[in-house]
C-alpha cells in the first residue's frame, strides 16, 4: 500500500492528531507493508514526528518512507535514534 501524504494532508504535517489519523488508516489496512510518500511535504513538526515514530514503533506493519526532503529526514532521524532506527527515505 502506498499513501501519498501530500494528497491526504497537504504540505505540512503539524499535529499529533495527523499522526494518529495516519496510523488509523495504516492499522486498519490488511496490508503488512506500507510505503509513505512524502513528496511535496515541505514541513513536519516535532510533535507530529514524535507521535509518528512512537506509533511506527508500536505497529506490526513494515513502514518505509520515500521522497523525504533533507529537513524532514533529519527531523525523523532525531526521534528514530531513540528507537535504534534510521530513516533512509529512499
Amino acid at each position: 500500500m502506498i499513501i501519498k501524504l501530500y494528497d491526504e494532508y497537504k504540505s505540512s504535517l503539524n499535529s499529533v492528531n495527523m499522526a494518529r489519523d495516519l496510523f488509523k488508516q495504516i492499522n486498519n489496512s490488511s496490508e503488512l507493508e506500507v510505503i509513505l510518500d512524502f513528496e511535496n511535504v515541505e514541513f513536519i513538526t516535532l510533535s507530529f514526528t514524535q507521535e509518528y515514530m512512537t506509533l511506527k514503533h508500536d505497529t506490526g506493519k513494515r513502514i518505509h518512507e520515500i521522497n523525504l526532503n533533507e529537513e524532514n529526514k533529519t527531523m525523523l532521524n532525531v526521534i528514530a535514534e531513540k528507537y535504534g532506527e534510521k530513516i533512509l527515505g529512499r
Side-chain angles (χ1 to χ4, degrees), residues 20-35:
R20 289 178 183 161
D21 288 344
L22 175 61
F23 273 86
K24 278 184 195 171
Q25 181 179 356
I26 290 169
N27 290 326
N28 287 334
S29 168
S30 61
E31 299 284 332
L32 296 177
E33 190 158 354
V34 178
I35 297 172

Side-chain angles (χ1 to χ4, degrees), residues 49-57 76 79-80 83 85:
T49 303
Q50 288 172 322
E51 188 68 7
Y52 171 83
M53 290 306 302
T54 298
L55 295 170
K56 179 181 178 183
H57 186 260
L76 285 168
I79 306 302
Y83 295 101
E85 298 179 24

Side-chain angles (χ1 to χ4, degrees), residues 36-73:
L36 297 179
D37 188 345
F38 280 78
E39 185 174 23
N40 296 320
V41 173
E42 297 173 11
F43 181 73
I44 59 176
T45 63
L46 181 59
S47 61
F48 172 87
T49 303
Q50 288 172 322
E51 188 68 7
Y52 171 83
M53 290 306 302
T54 298
L55 295 170
K56 179 181 178 183
H57 186 260
D58 292 343
T59 189
K61 311 280 180 150
R62 290 183 306 275
I63 298 173
H64 308 281
E65 299 84 2
I66 63 170
N67 297 320
L68 283 161
N69 66 31
E70 285 303 313
E71 293 83 9
N72 292 342
K73 186 189 298 186

